[in-house]
Amino acid sequence: PLAPVEFARLLHRSNISELSSLRGVFAGTLIIPDAQFVVVCRDRLGGATAYYKEDGGSFAVASNAYLLALASNSISEDPVTIGRHFRLKGSHPPGRTAFGAVSELLPGEVILRRGNRTSVLRKKWPLGTTSHAIPASQVTDLIRERLECAVARILPENSDSGIMLSGGMDSGPTASIAARLLQSRATQLHAVSWSLDDFPEADEWTWIEALAN
């Protein structure tokens, strides 16, 4: 593990290659007010979150888009992003959030801000191949282990949690792991689902009920 002091030194050097080579789940911010210098980075797999908002001479960063919008009185929605999020196909524009004034720092990106100038940088990684085949059983165990760690990391310590449950392959395993972990903490998982009467081809209620039961 990298000590916080060493991480701060890396941020201060602002070397994109050094920051991009870091492994693990992290998001880091270094602010030097006297020098009007800010650097923000996010791990290249996007395990941690980072959001930012700039308005003229002001700049703010947080790990939660809603809290950042709330703190800066910028709650106005971005209808394009919200609309694409709830469509049955497509994805929301990269870097945009549900709040018009708040942007997401994408995985592997680094923000450098000096004075009132902001630059968003990203190191390009070449595609490569593994030199040996990995047994399927090993891959399965590795995915299960890392998914459980990821779910455990975002669950609240002493309160219930909620999840948007569909019949797909993402929310089902996530809900199962979260429910088991929360039960061990004497808290509960509350699932929210819905169906659209006008789009029966998108109705996943059968699989939702199977997961819930």
Side-chain angles (χ1 to χ4, degrees):
L2 189 64
V5 172
E6 291 299 323
F7 188 32
R9 288 173 179 167
L10 282 177
L11 291 171
H12 190 227
R13 286 200 295 269
S14 306
N15 186 299
I16 304 303
S17 295
E18 287 184 336
L19 292 173
S20 299
S21 65
L22 293 176
R23 295 187 177 186
V25 175
F26 63 88
T29 303
L30 176 67
I31 302 174
I32 305 178
D34 292 341
Q36 294 187 318
F37 174 76
V38 179
V39 55
V40 187
C41 70
R42 182 181 179 190
D43 68 88
R44 57 185 176 179
L45 295 181
T49 55
Y51 301 91
Y52 64 98
K53 176 185 177 296
E54 54 182 335
D55 183 12
S58 66
F59 181 84
V61 61
S63 60
N64 184 293
Y66 169 71
L67 294 180
L68 182 57
L70 186 64
S72 56
N73 295 319
S74 303
I75 290 294
S76 57
E77 299 91 352
D78 181 348
V80 173
T81 301
I82 295 175
R84 290 192 180 184
H85 179 78
F86 286 103
R87 286 178 59 188
L88 299 179
K89 56 183 179 180
S91 59
H92 68 275
R96 293 172 65 170
T97 70
F99 307 99
V102 178
S103 300
E104 178 186 10
L105 188 65
L106 297 180
E109 286 187 338
V110 176
I111 288 180
L112 294 179
R113 182 175 174 88
R114 292 183 173 90
N116 292 333
R117 291 193 60 183
T118 301
S119 302
V120 181
L121 309 173
R122 180 186 179 92
K123 179 179 178 180
K124 294 183 178 180
W125 289 90
L127 296 176
T129 58
T130 58
S131 58
H132 62 281
I134 302 175
S137 59
Q138 182 178 341
V139 174
T140 302
D141 292 341
L142 184 61
I143 292 175
R144 181 186 299 110
E145 175 188 345
R146 296 193 175 182
L147 179 58
E148 289 185 354
C149 289
V151 174
R153 187 172 57 250
I154 64 172
L155 289 177
E157 289 291 335
N158 302 307
S159 62
D160 293 355
S161 186
I163 187 172
M164 295 173 63
L165 181 64
S166 70
M169 298 177 64
D170 297 327
S171 64
T174 302
S176 176
I177 294 171
R180 172 168 50 82
L181 292 174
L182 289 172
Q183 186 177 25
S184 67
R185 304 176 186 177
T187 53
Q188 292 183 321
L189 179 70
H190 302 278
V192 178
S193 305
W194 65 83
S195 62
L196 305 173
D197 294 336
D198 294 337
F199 298 93
E201 68 277 7
D203 189 355
E204 299 180 328
W205 204 252
T206 300
W207 293 278
I208 294 172
E209 287 186 326
L211 288 169
N213 294 330

